[in-house]
Amino acid sequence: MLSRVANSLYWIGRYIERAENTARILDVNLQLLDDFEAYVDGVEEVFWEAIVQSTGDVELFREHHDGIDADGVTAFLTREAHNPNSIFSSVSSARENARMIRDQISEEMWECINEMYHFVRNEQEFLDNEETTNYDFFEEIKNYSYRFVGLMEATYFHSEGYKFLQVGRYLERADQTSRILDLKYFLPLPDGQQGGGTVDIAIWVAILRSSSAVDAFQSNRTGEADALNVSGFLILSQNFPRSIRYCLRQLEQQLRSISGTDEGFYANRAEKLAGRLMGDVAYASIDDIWEEGLHEFIDRVQLRLIGLNQSIYEEYFQLPAVDMEAEIAVQRSQQQ
Amino acid sequence: MAVRNSSANFMDFNNYETEGFFDEMFEPDGRIRPHYQRLFESIERLNPDEFEIRRRYIDSAFLSQGVTFTVYHDSQGTERIFPFDVLPRIIPRTEWAHLEKGLTQRIVALNAFLHDIYHEQKIIKDGVIPASYILSAKQFCKEFVGTKVPRDIYVHISGSDLIRDGEGRYLVLEDNLRCPSGVSYMLESRQVLKRTFPRLFPTSEVEPVKQYPDELLRMLRYIAPSANPDPMVVILTPGVHNSAYFEHCFLAREMGIEIVEGRDLVVRNSHVFMRTTQGLKQVDVIYSRVSHEFLDPSVFRPDSMLGVPGLMNAYRAGNVALANAVGTGVADDKVMYYFVPRMIKYYMGEEPILPNVDTYLASEPQDMSYIMEHLPKLVVKSANEAGGYGMLIGPASTKAEIEEFRQMIKADPRNFIAQPTISLSRHPTWTDAGFEGRHVDLRPFVLYGDGVKIIPGGLTRVALRKGSLVVNSSQGGGSKDTWVLRNDS
């Protein structure tokens, strides 16, 4: 497979997953706000600020917005083109990549991304309809993402290209789950509220909900939805497909299958980093994590995902730099 | 005269005017031409509301499949669909056989010409075409004189534009020998029309076109160096921002081959390789959709970012085949067009089956004075432009525009030809006011590999603006499906 094509597939996987997760965070925050207003007045700003902080784009946000409020943050994360992580930017980039390699994916996958793009572009038209709300918009984004993944499973050749899509998707998802968890760090409890109190639990439940994890959590745990149990579930669950551990496991397996390397071994730096990160997470207990600090742990995971992204790039996508002038000179010298 | 029929609440042609043009569907007296009879009856049975719904479905199908072209200079990156008119253009068997013979004759002669001027140049030595015209052609690559190309074929893929004059006679308007586009529209329109209007299709009677990608791939494999039975074939594109990118991808997918950009390729020891996740892989045949002057910055334009340094070394060494061959552009120079009938006589000893449109060369003193006298009535084209650019349509231009061209022609006569304004044939086309006549041309697609193959069909382009003669997509043109019938009606 062409390096350029593999690169595009990897990024399509990442961008679609990113758009889905941004929709999840916004969706859940709107719900949380509804729940929360019953307890305290004037918390809106804190909430929306936490969202922007968890995405890591606070400075960019301040460049374009004076205060922080629901409309500003929603616009920033949904449709603003100068935010490279907005839903609009993610979907546009996914589509741009898909357009470059549309002969390499199934017709159905291409049409799904293309329709998703036109849907996002016409967001306003969709919201102008009296029967639709922001919730419906985010729901649609999620549905497009599910449809894409379903089509990838059902209509696409499961070989090298599929593996690059999967690597991109799971790397992005591990990162996004960590960001959703980190939301809690940026969200101070209102005065008079304590860890384990009503508001605290409400937020942890919302975090579960934003990962579509409520049912899975309930059927696997008897414990309450408190800090330890929820973070433990979203980081360490072996079988829940959005837990960080699960994502890293998939990521590591898919990477090895590209090079055909056995479990427990590595053929390149990307596989080595992926294996070590997976080991670190898999062999940690939730108590270890909280001892280090949840935010500190998450920060460390995110940094290592960035390193992993870089080494995947170097291993598979980076074309050995061609010095055009030298190349031209050599070729000229060979002409008679 | 107006065409009449009695039904009021159905799709009808009650107000259709042929207005003295050659009409593809109706005889001058208003009778339906026999090969349109069945279509006419099916159209009449359609309910107008249903017709409208289905017509809109076609537009949305094109949009969701991304069958679009990008409008340049638009910061929103607006994408438009190529407007598609539902009513197909129909060509009966005998007429098609005539076109097939004429196009084959023409492409064989053009190929013989290219081989000749890149080798012995007999046609110049025998005084049939003055040397100065060839040597001054922008697209003549003197670097390639003496280079052998696989199977001696230069023009593997071409699409000449045909028009019909007032009597319905087919004429060749121009030869597109570099990288003619539009074949994807031919294939997609057929598919979408079949899906939306299944009842319009007398399936057994219309020649299929869907074999084109297979024929194209067969031809590309045929020209592989040293008759390699399992060559690596790729399509080379300028990239995603090219307005025909959709077509490049479409063809790559249909043929199941890789689509590459210049930066994906590298030349080592006069062989071409592509850069993959598993290292370098050798490439044997390149279907190039990049203009040749951008192909190799070590030979042509050094500023080309689209090209591959050393590609020409590999090509000359015979290690990679290119379709079309480098340097074919010299034969679709509009001045060279003037000489095609002479080429046919010279190389084949035959009379041209498909005539040219009358053409005047500004560089011939006699023709020049004719052009200067009749400029407001003529169509002037510059020798190397395409897509309807660099063109003057005298009758539709202002005095100032005509004067501007007059000066340009005087300054550089070699670069201009002139032709009388031909009124292209017309075809019923759906408009806001019902069916009206619009001017059409025809671009059939010709493949030259193990023999000449012409796909029965083509791209019928239609000038959607009332009265307009310009069919180019960049200038308000649309397309129609083109049916070649197995029989004459």
Side-chain angles (χ1 to χ4, degrees):
Chain A
M1 164 165 289
L2 288 176
S3 297
R4 181 173 55 78
V5 172
N7 189 30
S8 283
L9 288 165
Y10 171 82
W11 279 104
I12 291 169
R14 290 202 68 164
Y15 284 128
I16 297 279
E17 188 69 25
R18 187 174 296 174
E20 179 192 325
N21 276 279
T22 307
R24 285 172 175 281
I25 290 185
L26 282 166
D27 183 22
V28 112
N29 207 47
L30 287 172
Q31 292 183 31
L32 195 54
L33 209 59
D34 286 346
D35 298 346
F36 226 86
E37 270 166 346
Y39 297 99
V40 192
D41 288 335
V43 291
E44 213 185 293
E45 188 173 321
V46 185
F47 260 94
W48 291 108
E49 190 163 4
I51 296 271
V52 180
Q53 277 169 329
S54 78
T55 63
D57 292 323
V58 181
E59 278 177 32
L60 184 67
F61 182 84
R62 291 201 193 283
E63 273 176 38
H64 296 277
H65 295 268
D66 290 335
I68 287 194
D69 58 17
D71 287 349
V73 175
T74 308
F76 180 71
L77 292 180
T78 306
R79 70 188 74 93
E80 289 182 8
H82 50 74
N83 174 10
N85 296 317
S86 70
I87 293 176
F88 173 75
S89 300
S90 300
V91 174
S92 302
S93 305
R95 184 203 185 232
E96 192 63 13
N97 276 285
R99 216 157 85 81
M100 290 197 284
I101 58 151
R102 61 172 288 182
D103 59 302
Q104 298 278 339
I105 53 181
S106 72
E107 184 73 28
E108 289 88 349
M109 285 161 76
W110 156 252
E111 284 186 19
C112 173
I113 295 180
N114 192 38
E115 282 168 26
M116 185 178 191
Y117 166 78
H118 287 294
F119 173 74
V120 175
R121 255 181 83 106
N122 297 322
E123 180 207 358
Q124 204 46 53
E125 225 169 275
F126 179 78
L127 293 179
D128 284 347
N129 186 329
E130 278 179 19
E131 285 164 17
T132 54
T133 65
N134 273 324
Y135 291 114
D136 301 311
F137 179 78
F138 299 135
E139 202 58 36
E140 279 298 302
I141 295 293
K142 285 190 267 178
N143 285 336
Y144 273 114
S145 172
Y146 304 151
R147 185 175 141 202
F148 179 75
V149 173
L151 289 169
M152 181 168 100
E153 290 300 326
T155 68
Y156 189 45
F157 208 54
H158 283 206
S159 65
E160 200 180 356
Y162 172 82
K163 291 170 188 170
F164 279 108
L165 266 166
Q166 292 286 41
V167 167
R169 204 158 70 84
Y170 280 110
L171 193 149
E172 183 69 25
R173 188 184 282 177
D175 187 60
Q176 294 291 344
T177 298
S178 80
R179 288 179 192 281
I180 288 175
L181 272 170
D182 215 16
L183 201 56
K184 186 71 177 67
Y185 172 81
F186 294 108
L187 208 54
L189 288 172
D191 292 342
Q193 286 285 338
Q194 289 163 0
T198 339
V199 175
D200 191 42
I201 299 288
I203 297 175
W204 283 112
V205 170
I207 283 174
L208 277 179
R209 205 186 296 139
S210 71
S211 302
S212 299
V214 175
D215 292 338
F217 179 83
Q218 279 166 352
S219 59
N220 278 280
R221 291 257 175 187
T222 44
E224 208 183 350
D226 62 11
L228 274 189
N229 286 338
V230 172
S231 60
F233 185 77
L234 288 181
I235 297 172
L236 297 176
S237 168
Q238 286 193 39
N239 300 314
F240 181 63
R242 311 195 78 81
S243 84
I244 295 178
R245 180 183 189 172
Y246 184 93
C247 294
L248 292 176
R249 175 95 185 123
Q250 293 294 324
L251 175 56
E252 194 265 347
Q253 280 179 353
Q254 296 289 354
L255 268 180
R256 272 191 297 101
S257 81
I258 291 170
S259 66
T261 305
D262 288 340
E263 188 166 3
F265 296 85
Y266 63 87
N268 55 51
R269 187 174 149 79
E271 289 171 22
K272 179 175 156 186
L273 293 183
R276 287 171 82 168
L277 179 55
M278 185 193 68
D280 273 6
V281 173
Y283 290 97
S285 71
I286 193 62
D287 294 330
D288 297 339
I289 292 171
W290 277 87
E291 199 179 317
E292 181 187 354
L294 180 62
H295 175 67
E296 287 70 21
F297 173 82
I298 285 172
D299 226 28
R300 214 154 50 78
V301 170
Q302 289 177 353
L303 282 174
R304 290 173 70 176
L305 287 173
I306 292 171
L308 181 54
N309 174 67
Q310 179 63 22
S311 59
I312 293 171
Y313 171 76
E314 285 163 8
E315 182 61 33
Y316 290 109
F317 309 147
Q318 190 183 35
L319 301 170
V322 167
D323 178 347
M324 270 307 229
E325 277 178 28
E327 195 81 6
I328 289 174
V330 169
Q331 296 294 346
R332 280 195 174 143
S333 72
Q334 290 171 12
Q335 288 156 13
Q336 305 89 28
Chain B
M1 69 168 281
V3 177
R4 302 258 165 234
N5 79 34
S6 54
S7 47
N9 287 319
F10 295 90
M11 306 295 300
D12 64 48
F13 292 86
N14 287 347
N15 300 313
Y16 191 81
E17 300 275 348
T18 58
E19 288 173 273
F21 289 100
F22 183 87
D23 193 276
E24 297 283 342
M25 188 160 169
F26 294 99
E27 309 268 7
D29 61 6
R31 277 178 306 136
I32 298 151
R33 296 186 193 276
H35 53 283
Y36 275 95
Q37 186 62 40
R38 275 163 199 260
L39 177 75
F40 179 77
E41 285 163 13
S42 322
I43 292 281
E44 274 196 319
R45 280 198 296 270
L46 287 175
N47 168 314
D49 295 336
E50 196 188 332
F51 177 82
E52 187 58 23
I53 290 167
R54 292 184 187 213
R55 209 182 56 80
R56 287 195 183 171
Y57 167 79
I58 291 183
D59 287 355
S60 76
F62 279 137
L63 192 66
S64 78
Q65 286 165 21
V67 188
T68 53
F69 65 93
T70 312
V71 182
Y72 292 125
H73 317 299
D74 182 333
S75 61
Q76 299 285 309
T78 305
E79 288 165 31
R80 300 244 177 89
I81 53 168
F82 192 25
F84 176 74
D85 184 67
V86 169
L87 214 58
R89 187 247 194 92
I90 302 180
I91 304 174
R93 177 78 250 164
T94 315
E95 215 169 281
W96 180 254
H98 169 73
L99 293 181
E100 232 173 10
K101 255 169 72 186
L103 289 165
T104 303
Q105 177 196 52
R106 197 165 174 103
I107 207 67
V108 170
L110 282 163
N111 199 71
F113 167 72
L114 283 162
H115 185 270
D116 186 21
I117 60 157
Y118 285 116
H119 290 84
E120 302 89 348
Q121 305 191 333
K122 285 188 291 200
I123 198 163
I124 299 177
K125 290 171 191 152
D126 289 342
V128 180
I129 302 178
S132 62
Y133 280 123
I134 293 171
L135 303 178
S136 65
K138 272 192 207 155
Q139 299 282 335
F140 179 64
C141 299
K142 54 183 184 308
E143 301 92 334
F144 283 88
V145 172
T147 299
K148 177 163 169 50
V149 300
R151 313 251 187 202
D152 287 338
I153 302 171
Y154 285 80
V155 186
H156 310 88
I157 300 137
S158 61
S160 298
D161 290 335
L162 306 178
I163 58 171
R164 301 180 83 172
D165 65 12
E167 282 77 51
R169 207 162 51 118
Y170 283 97
L171 307 171
V172 179
L173 185 62
E174 55 189 59
D175 301 293
N176 298 296
L177 308 179
R178 282 171 281 176
C179 22
S181 57
V183 78
S184 59
Y185 292 116
M186 168 182 87
L187 298 165
E188 288 277 11
S189 329
R190 174 64 60 87
Q191 244 195 344
V192 82
L193 190 63
K194 253 180 151 166
R195 250 194 336 239
T196 8
F197 290 94
R199 272 179 302 166
L200 278 189
F201 261 88
T203 336
S204 56
E205 287 147 39
V206 178
E207 293 276 5
V209 292
K210 62 175 188 294
Q211 68 278 24
Y212 179 83
D214 293 342
E215 295 286 359
L216 177 59
L217 184 60
R218 185 170 307 138
M219 180 280 288
L220 291 168
R221 293 169 66 96
Y222 176 74
I223 61 168
S226 50
N228 181 347
D230 190 22
M232 171 72 80
V233 181
V234 301
I235 176 166
L236 177 65
T237 174
V240 70
H241 299 296
N242 185 272
S243 62
Y245 187 75
F246 162 75
E247 177 158 307
H248 308 161
C249 271
F250 176 91
L251 290 173
R253 195 178 61 233
E254 292 287 320
M255 290 189 280
I257 64 174
E258 294 276 359
I259 177 166
V260 300
E261 296 179 19
R263 59 190 161 126
D264 297 321
L265 299 179
V266 63
V267 175
R268 294 286 174 262
N269 300 323
S270 296
H271 286 80
V272 181
F273 297 91
M274 57 182 181
R275 315 204 273 186
T276 78
T277 53
Q278 315 293 335
L280 297 180
K281 262 199 189 136
Q282 193 176 326
V283 170
D284 304 297
V285 181
I286 300 175
Y287 173 20
S288 170
R289 299 290 298 249
V290 173
S291 305
H292 89 251
E293 57 267 40
F294 292 98
L295 276 180
D296 184 344
S298 70
V299 176
F300 307 112
R301 296 178 54 147
D303 59 334
S304 168
M305 300 305 287
L306 307 174
V308 188
L311 184 56
M312 289 305 113
N313 281 347
Y315 181 55
R316 268 194 285 238
N319 295 329
V320 69
L322 280 171
N324 290 345
V326 174
T328 57
V330 63
D332 74 359
D333 178 307
K334 292 191 173 64
V335 171
M336 223 39 74
Y337 162 89
Y338 174 89
F339 293 102
V340 175
R342 292 197 200 173
M343 293 175 199
I344 294 172
K345 277 180 215 152
Y346 180 73
Y347 295 111
M348 308 180 71
E350 297 171 9
E351 288 300 314
I353 297 167
L354 292 173
N356 272 7
V357 173
D358 291 338
T359 302
Y360 304 92
L361 296 185
S363 43
E364 295 287 315
Q366 250 185 326
D367 287 7
M368 178 66 139
S369 57
Y370 180 87
I371 294 171
M372 287 297 132
E373 269 168 51
H374 298 88
L375 204 48
K377 286 185 186 156
L378 296 172
V379 175
V380 179
K381 297 173 179 173
S382 58
N384 289 297
E385 300 282 349
Y389 296 105
M391 195 170 155
L392 174 83
I393 299 180
S397 302
T398 63
K399 270 196 175 149
E401 284 164 344
I402 291 173
E403 284 318 301
E404 192 189 330
F405 258 79
R406 192 186 297 280
Q407 297 314 317
M408 280 159 60
I409 298 168
K410 278 185 185 160
D412 185 11
R414 165 63 180 86
N415 199 31
F416 290 94
I417 62 159
Q419 294 167 338
T421 319
I422 304 271
S423 31
L424 279 56
S425 61
R426 296 207 316 186
H427 195 292
T429 300
W430 185 251
T431 71
D432 292 341
F435 286 114
E436 287 188 1
R438 291 289 184 271
H439 294 288
V440 294
D441 77 349
L442 174 65
R443 177 179 289 182
F445 296 97
V446 183
L447 294 174
Y448 194 169
D450 189 6
V452 177
K453 287 219 169 63
I454 304 171
I455 303 306
L459 182 66
T460 291
R461 297 186 297 177
V462 48
L464 294 172
R465 273 197 296 265
K466 195 169 191 156
S468 168
L469 290 168
V470 186
V471 296
N472 305 78
S473 59
S474 48
Q475 319 229 353
S479 74
K480 283 172 169 293
D481 193 11
T482 308
W483 294 0
V484 172
L485 297 187
R486 293 223 160 102
N487 301 302
D488 273 343
S489 63

